[in-house]
């Protein structure tokens, strides 16, 4: 993860709506790579990406790993 990504994540964690929107635009490629490694069916890959993006949107302020980046 590069410094720009960390700043974007920190801003989104701090309830910056524009940062969260940008994060959701940039994240699918990274999430897709991970999903392809862990899912065996293409339909599962698409579902995993959608669920992950939804969880980021809903719960970014509560994720402990994100909090560690902002401390």
């Amino acid at each position: 993860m590069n410094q720009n990504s960390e700043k974007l994540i920190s801003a989104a964690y701090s309830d910056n709506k524009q940062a969260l929107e940008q994060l959701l635009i940039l994240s699918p490629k990274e999430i897709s790579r991970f999903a392809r490694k862990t899912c065996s069916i293409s339909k599962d890959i698409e579902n995993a990406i959608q669920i992950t993006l939804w969880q980021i949107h809903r719960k970014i302020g509560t994720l402990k790993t994100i909090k560690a980046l902002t401390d």
Side-chain angles (χ1 to χ4, degrees), residues 25-34 36 49:
I25 290 169
L26 297 175
S27 295
K29 290 179 185 177
E30 298 294 325
I31 296 167
S32 178
R33 269 189 235 129
F34 181 77
R36 283 190 196 120
I49 294 167

Side-chain angles (χ1 to χ4, degrees), residues 3 9-11 22 28-29 33 38 42 46 52-53 63-64:
Q3 191 175 22
I9 291 168
S10 293
Q22 189 64 26
K29 290 179 185 177
R33 269 189 235 129
T38 57
S42 62
E46 292 174 22
T52 302
L53 291 172
L63 299 174
K64 292 178 184 175

Side-chain angles (χ1 to χ4, degrees), residues 47-60:
N47 287 339
I49 294 167
Q50 289 178 357
I51 290 167
T52 302
L53 291 172
W54 177 246
Q55 291 299 328
I56 290 170
H57 180 265
R58 286 187 56 228
K59 298 188 176 192
I60 194 162

Side-chain angles (χ1 to χ4, degrees), residues 12-48:
Y13 178 81
S14 298
D15 205 29
N16 180 318
K17 301 297 182 195
Q18 290 175 331
L20 177 59
E21 184 177 313
Q22 189 64 26
L23 184 63
L24 293 173
I25 290 169
L26 297 175
S27 295
K29 290 179 185 177
E30 298 294 325
I31 296 167
S32 178
R33 269 189 235 129
F34 181 77
R36 283 190 196 120
K37 291 179 185 178
T38 57
C39 298
S40 57
I41 302 171
S42 62
K43 184 178 178 181
D44 290 343
I45 294 169
E46 292 174 22
N47 287 339

